Amino acid sequence: QNANATAATVGDQTYTTTEVSYYYYSVANGFTQQAQAYQQMGMDMGYDPSLSPSEQTYNEEEGTTYADYFLEQALDQLQQVSILCREAEAAGYTLSAEGEQSIQDNMDALYTYSVQSNAGSEESYLRMIYGRNMTKSLFKELLTKSILADEYAAVKSESFTYTDGELDDYYDAHAADLDSYDYRFCYINAEFEDKTDEDGNTVEPTEEETKAAMDAAAEKADKMIAEVRGGTAFNTAAQDYLDETSAESYSDPEYNHKTGDLGSTVTSTYREWLTDDSRQPGDLTSIEVENTGYCVVQFLGREKDTDSYQTMNYRSIQILAETTPSEDGSTALPTEDQLAAAKEQAQGLLDQWKAGDATADSFAALAKENSADETTKENGGLHEDANRDSLDAALTDWLFAQGRQVGDTTVVESTDSSGNVTGYQVLYVESFGEIQWKYQAASSLRSEDYNQWYEDLQAKYPAELTEEGKAIPTL
């Protein structure tokens, strides 16, 4: 097939077989990686990476294969990139320095990937991943367009802004989602006997066994609710109906006591019940979790919270604990003594700051001199527009705690991606950003307006596959 044959059109622009193949294989490769990750966890997402996507049914009712699905998604991606790049050019928007660096980083990584895959060369690797006609120059061109499209999408989205009056109107129509809730909950799991067959494989419970286990869990939930209504504290009552490990957690009277959760962020298991306008403080219920058990929930209160923030600026001084290389040369986790030394150093820096003029500038100076975080130390340890939804739990719990004030400080643990403690951070609250409910209201409005803007452009620049494009999965 001709690599330069027209495989798709977006409005008045044409795209070759090679270009459309790039998007097709991007979708297919991503799906394959996800399926393989599921398999490693012993889970099945319904797609077998070892088989051709053309041989696997995606939608039995419509008679489509995974190849059809991948091609449909590829065309959607191509249309999106085409439209956004067109709009970026019309607006005079050009790629940022960060975008340029991202392109360079991806191009630099090509050699490493080609060596790891034994492809023989960078272009051989690209052809293996994106189709037999892919070249290094075309890959860079398509990568550049994708990054430009992503950047302009973010810029366009942020261009939609709203007055306080518009946000108040949105709140009035969506109060259940934007109010903050005070509640408690616990899960009472249905208990099943572990059974294996003669080969050691797990035997799933029968329908009768499942019903019996669920009925027992429902009875426990009802008894727990009766205890709480009789005056027993929620977490105290919970301990009587949970396994030993869970019961120990509930010995903490504040365990799973949620305050400040917006309705839109509450888990779907009990969101509808919790956010019902008729709910009264003290209300209790048990909600079935299919074939798993029951969730007991207690409603304590609901309010339009005008004091909690979604974003803030803060400064940090990161102190990493020393580590000792093991005999094989690998670096072990820090010992208790090494962690204690790191904590003492962090506390010492905080005490030093408090003994001085205790300003943001003096904290920034300490960060420049002492922080192990190379990405922020030169900027005085400043983290701008930190979002409560994207920070580690320890940071979120302290930074966004009720009553937090500008100038507050503390020392918290630093952890790695596996949750291992690696040191400590000295924190300083610099300033607050947006109120939580207003941030969520603006985000929802912005999403609606951006989607409408893009849908109008989709109608203006429709995407279609040619016969050559439809044949791409068979190449």
Side-chain angles (χ1 to χ4, degrees):
Q1 188 175 30
N2 185 351
N4 296 316
T6 297
T9 59
V10 180
D12 58 357
Q13 295 183 342
T14 61
Y15 295 89
T16 67
T17 301
T18 306
E19 290 173 313
V20 178
S21 294
Y22 167 80
Y23 291 99
Y24 174 83
Y25 287 112
S26 293
V27 173
N29 293 337
F31 207 87
T32 295
Q33 291 172 1
Q34 185 180 8
Q36 290 172 338
Y38 269 66
Q39 287 181 344
Q40 291 175 357
M41 295 185 291
M43 302 168 64
D44 181 10
M45 60 181 290
Y47 178 73
D48 187 345
S50 67
L51 299 177
S52 167
S54 299
E55 299 173 354
Q56 303 184 65
T57 299
Y58 174 72
N59 187 311
E60 188 170 349
E61 184 176 333
E62 296 179 2
T64 55
T65 66
Y66 273 93
D68 298 324
Y69 170 72
F70 295 158
L71 194 55
E72 178 185 354
Q73 294 298 304
L75 185 62
D76 286 347
Q77 287 190 13
L78 171 61
Q79 182 185 33
Q80 185 177 55
V81 170
S82 177
I83 288 174
L84 290 171
C85 286
R86 188 194 297 253
E87 291 298 304
E89 182 179 2
Y93 181 83
T94 56
L95 206 58
S96 68
E98 292 80 6
E100 295 284 3
Q101 185 60 54
S102 179
I103 294 168
Q104 188 58 54
D105 291 343
N106 275 275
M107 298 307 294
D108 290 344
L110 270 182
Y111 175 75
T112 301
Y113 293 146
S114 65
V115 171
Q116 291 175 343
S117 63
N118 296 315
S121 70
E122 293 174 349
E123 292 222 336
S124 294
Y125 170 76
L126 289 172
R127 289 193 292 271
M128 182 174 68
I129 299 298
Y130 297 110
R132 63 190 181 191
N133 295 310
M134 182 57 63
T135 65
K136 188 174 179 180
S137 60
L138 179 57
F139 170 75
K140 184 176 182 180
E141 177 186 334
L142 295 173
L143 176 65
T144 300
K145 289 180 178 178
S146 291
I147 293 175
L148 174 62
D150 287 342
E151 281 195 0
Y152 187 69
V155 168
K156 183 63 183 180
S157 179
E158 290 301 317
S159 72
F160 295 106
T161 57
Y162 309 95
T163 65
D164 283 345
E166 289 171 323
L167 295 178
D168 286 332
D169 288 343
Y170 187 85
Y171 169 84
D172 290 340
H174 302 85
D177 288 337
L178 298 175
D179 276 345
S180 295
Y181 293 80
D182 183 359
Y183 64 100
R184 296 179 183 273
F185 73 94
C186 78
Y187 283 93
I188 297 177
N189 293 318
E191 297 180 358
F192 298 96
E193 181 182 351
D194 291 332
K195 292 183 178 181
T196 56
D197 59 23
E198 57 186 14
D199 296 321
N201 300 313
T202 300
V203 176
E204 296 297 326
T206 65
E207 288 186 13
E208 292 76 9
E209 290 170 335
T210 298
K211 184 180 185 304
M214 289 294 290
D215 287 346
E219 184 178 355
K220 289 181 180 179
D222 290 341
K223 288 182 177 179
M224 177 184 163
I225 289 174
E227 280 195 35
V228 177
R229 285 176 175 158
T232 303
F234 187 94
N235 282 22
T236 300
Q239 294 175 59
D240 294 335
Y241 303 100
L242 300 173
D243 60 63
E244 185 176 346
T245 301
S246 298
E248 183 177 351
S249 296
Y250 278 88
S251 63
D252 175 356
E254 288 304 299
Y255 183 73
N256 272 347
H257 176 198
K258 300 294 183 179
T259 58
D261 285 1
L262 294 188
S264 60
T265 67
V266 172
T267 181
S268 60
T269 300
Y270 44 79
R271 181 187 302 146
E272 182 177 355
W273 180 86
L274 192 71
T275 61
D276 190 293
D277 288 340
S278 67
R279 199 61 52 230
Q280 296 294 316
D283 282 357
L284 285 154
T285 193
S286 64
I287 298 172
E288 180 180 353
V289 182
E290 186 176 10
N291 296 334
T292 302
Y294 282 79
C295 181
V296 178
V297 191
Q298 183 180 38
F299 176 87
L300 299 174
R302 163 182 172 176
E303 66 174 346
K304 181 181 181 180
D305 188 349
T306 59
D307 296 319
S308 294
Y309 292 85
Q310 181 72 27
T311 62
M312 71 157 55
N313 298 330
Y314 73 96
R315 295 183 185 273
S316 70
I317 305 173
Q318 185 179 72
I319 304 299
L320 293 178
E322 292 186 1
T323 54
T324 304
S326 59
E327 293 182 0
D328 62 4
S330 62
T331 301
L333 292 171
T335 64
E336 290 187 9
D337 287 344
Q338 289 168 330
L339 285 172
K343 186 174 184 179
E344 182 178 358
Q345 182 184 353
Q347 187 62 51
L349 288 170
L350 180 55
D351 293 342
Q352 177 185 337
W353 175 80
K354 289 180 177 179
D357 56 9
T359 64
D361 288 341
S362 61
F363 192 96
L366 278 179
K368 287 182 179 181
E369 296 171 6
N370 299 280
S371 182
D373 185 351
E374 297 296 333
T375 61
T376 65
K377 66 180 298 182
E378 292 306 316
N379 197 26
L382 181 62
H383 299 257
E384 295 185 286
D385 297 322
N387 193 309
R388 67 160 67 219
D389 293 335
S390 59
L391 296 175
D392 291 341
L395 288 175
T396 301
D397 289 346
W398 187 82
L399 288 171
F400 293 97
Q402 290 185 334
R404 186 63 59 227
Q405 300 290 320
V406 170
D408 284 354
T409 57
T410 194
V411 174
V412 299
E413 293 178 343
S414 288
T415 57
D416 60 19
S417 58
S418 299
N420 300 306
V421 179
T422 57
Y424 291 85
Q425 289 187 76
V426 188
L427 302 179
Y428 171 86
V429 177
E430 177 96 356
S431 61
F432 293 105
E434 293 185 80
I435 293 293
Q436 190 179 15
W437 80 260
K438 287 187 175 183
Y439 176 92
Q440 295 298 336
S443 295
S444 297
L445 284 167
R446 191 173 293 120
S447 178
E448 291 174 5
D449 288 339
Y450 176 87
N451 289 340
Q452 186 59 61
W453 170 80
Y454 181 70
E455 287 173 11
D456 292 344
L457 289 171
Q458 278 184 304
K460 185 178 179 180
Y461 303 110
E464 294 182 5
L465 289 169
T466 66
E467 291 304 314
E468 286 80 2
K470 294 175 183 177
I472 283 175
T474 65
L475 297 181

